[in-house]
Amino acid sequence: MLSKIFEALYFKVLVNIVVKRASTVVYIETLSKKRSISTIHSEFDTKECNKKMQDFIKDYIKESPYYYISLLDRATVQGAIPTCEKHKRLYYYSDLNDTKYKCYNRKWTYYTSKSELYKIEKIYKEIGLDFIFSPFVLLNEFFQDKIDEGKLALYVLIEETYISLAVFENTQLLYAEHLDIEAASEFDDILLSNDIQEDLELGLEEEGIDLENMDVEDDDDEIELEDFGDIEDLDSLEDIDEFDDSKDVEEELLESEDVLEESNEDRFNEDYQRFSLIQTSVAHYYKDERYESKFLENIYIADGIGVSSDLKKYLEEEMFFNVYIRRVELDAEICELTKRELDL
């Protein structure tokens, strides 16, 4: 009783951390009697918990002995399986020897790598961590209204570097997968190079050009790409400056449009890569005999980064999904998970 009275005298400070591709977002909410009285959002150009971030967080948590620091799990090796039954049943779906796992609502289990968990705890040892939330728990809570309806659907959480997918029916998890976008990108680059070479050879064959029997008239005329160095460096050569003094507003506008086009192209490539990963994961769901696979028609996406309309188009036109996208603020959603844990 006295502890409750003592606790009521202080604010509660909730610190929520999301690690992105090259930065870290910190969202802090202060509560008084379960009511939010202030919020602050800051982003740091680091993936580690450096001194600047530590000082920022410490300035807020020193105001109250009741503070809680939460992080969205950033482990590469993590996932969820459709059972809470121990021993043989759990290990039927995944090798959990090097993981920590926990049952969710007595229905399904989420897990994460022990070694990566220890690394995370070491990174934040100066400030400590109270909660590390699984993206699958966040996904379940964020789409709870849809999952509770009981209809079969695929649910996807999109972060900058990860995609977390889960199939639910009648509130029960049927399948889940956690995908590292950057690791997949490196692998896809190799495959893409092979595909381009195959497409080139096929195109030449269709034109009647035989690569193997092609004669080169003069070896001295052969030019290697290496002779040009890095192609990107051509844009920054200081020796070519004839047009520098003659730039006008129209030329500068065209340059801005080029930058925009490059940005749009990057988004196009990333969204196509996300589509490819989702497509591959759905194929795993259908083919893997360990899972109760049923035909999927609906996909709900929790968009944590701001994807383009291209992703929706790919999913609709290539996989014939009914696509529903909700914007999610990951840091604020982690804060909501913390409140549920603390019954605030």
Side-chain angles (χ1 to χ4, degrees):
M1 183 65 178
L2 288 175
S3 62
K4 290 291 184 182
I5 296 174
F6 183 73
E7 184 177 343
L9 297 176
Y10 289 92
F11 300 138
K12 288 184 174 63
V13 182
L14 309 182
V15 180
N16 311 278
I17 301 171
V18 177
V19 181
K20 301 169 67 176
R21 180 173 293 158
S23 62
T24 300
V25 172
V26 178
Y27 171 76
I28 299 177
E29 185 169 344
T30 304
L31 303 175
S32 176
K33 297 179 181 179
K34 298 188 178 183
R35 291 187 299 105
S36 176
I37 58 174
S38 69
T39 61
I40 187 167
H41 177 283
S42 187
E43 189 162 352
F44 300 86
D45 294 329
T46 178
K47 293 172 66 177
E48 306 296 323
C49 188
N50 59 17
K51 189 175 186 306
K52 184 177 180 181
M53 190 191 306
Q54 291 174 24
D55 292 342
F56 173 78
I57 293 173
K58 287 178 180 179
D59 280 343
Y60 286 90
I61 63 178
K62 70 183 181 182
E63 300 297 328
S64 172
Y66 297 99
Y67 64 85
Y68 305 89
I69 301 177
S70 303
L71 174 77
L72 182 62
D73 192 356
R74 53 184 290 193
T76 301
V77 179
Q78 59 175 303
I81 50 183
T83 184
C84 281
E85 296 179 24
K86 293 184 178 180
H87 307 303
K88 291 183 179 180
R89 188 63 176 161
L90 279 175
Y91 283 82
Y92 172 73
Y93 291 100
S94 182
D95 182 0
L96 301 176
N97 285 320
D98 297 321
T99 69
K100 285 192 173 183
Y101 56 89
K102 186 176 181 180
C103 181
Y104 182 83
N105 285 349
R106 299 181 180 179
K107 292 183 177 181
W108 50 274
T109 300
Y110 58 93
Y111 63 87
T112 190
S113 164
K114 282 183 181 178
S115 60
E116 292 191 69
L117 196 59
Y118 294 148
K119 288 179 183 178
I120 292 171
E121 291 174 345
K122 186 176 181 180
I123 290 172
Y124 295 94
K125 66 179 181 179
E126 291 297 324
I127 57 173
L129 290 172
D130 297 286
F131 302 106
I132 299 178
F133 289 110
S134 166
F136 295 100
V137 172
L138 188 152
L139 190 60
N140 186 99
E141 295 293 337
F142 185 69
F143 282 118
Q144 189 173 29
D145 60 326
K146 295 299 179 183
I147 293 173
D148 286 348
E149 290 179 359
K151 295 180 181 179
L152 175 69
L154 173 64
Y155 297 86
V156 180
L157 173 64
I158 296 181
E159 304 175 59
E160 276 194 351
T161 53
Y162 296 108
I163 296 177
S164 302
L165 307 95
V167 178
F168 283 97
E169 184 181 33
N170 296 324
T171 71
Q172 176 60 49
L173 177 76
L174 301 184
Y175 172 82
E177 190 169 4
H178 184 69
L179 304 168
D180 185 335
I181 297 174
E182 293 180 345
S185 177
E186 294 174 2
F187 180 71
D188 287 346
D189 287 343
I190 298 173
L191 295 180
L192 181 60
S193 298
N194 294 336
D195 290 342
I196 291 173
Q197 181 64 28
E198 291 175 1
D199 291 344
L200 175 61
E201 293 177 359
L202 179 60
L204 291 174
E205 289 175 3
E206 290 176 351
E207 294 293 330
I209 300 174
D210 188 347
L211 285 175
E212 293 183 359
N213 298 320
M214 181 182 292
D215 294 327
V216 179
E217 294 182 0
D218 189 350
D219 291 339
D220 292 336
D221 292 336
E222 185 176 348
I223 300 176
E224 296 288 345
L225 284 178
E226 286 77 7
D227 295 337
F228 290 103
D230 189 343
I231 293 176
E232 293 180 355
D233 291 341
L234 294 177
D235 294 331
S236 60
L237 288 176
E238 296 178 357
D239 297 336
I240 306 175
D241 58 0
E242 291 87 349
F243 300 104
D244 286 352
D245 296 332
S246 60
K247 284 184 179 179
D248 58 16
V249 175
E250 183 177 358
E251 287 176 325
E252 292 178 358
L253 178 61
L254 289 174
E255 287 184 354
S256 299
E257 290 175 348
D258 289 340
V259 172
L260 181 60
E261 287 178 2
E262 290 177 5
S263 177
N264 288 337
E265 184 177 354
D266 290 340
R267 291 185 64 187
F268 171 84
N269 291 335
E270 289 186 354
D271 281 341
Y272 187 79
Q273 185 182 10
R274 293 182 182 104
F275 159 72
S276 298
L277 289 173
I278 293 171
Q279 187 180 48
T280 302
S281 185
V282 171
H284 291 165
Y285 164 67
Y286 285 139
K287 294 178 181 179
D288 196 325
E289 296 180 354
R290 292 174 299 174
Y291 301 97
E292 183 184 356
S293 58
K294 299 180 180 180
F295 183 71
L296 297 168
E297 296 183 57
N298 299 312
I299 178 171
Y300 293 90
I301 296 176
D303 176 15
I305 59 171
V307 297
S308 71
S309 59
D310 291 324
L311 178 61
K312 185 175 186 290
K313 182 180 69 174
Y314 299 145
L315 294 167
E316 289 175 337
E317 295 181 358
E318 301 295 329
M319 300 185 70
F320 309 106
F321 275 131
N322 300 314
V323 183
Y324 307 93
I325 299 177
R326 285 185 189 174
R327 191 77 170 91
V328 58
E329 299 298 334
L330 294 172
D331 48 5
E333 195 63 27
I334 293 173
C335 190
E336 292 303 312
L337 293 177
T338 303
K339 291 176 186 177
R340 292 189 185 102
E341 286 290 329
L342 300 172
D343 192 25
L344 296 176

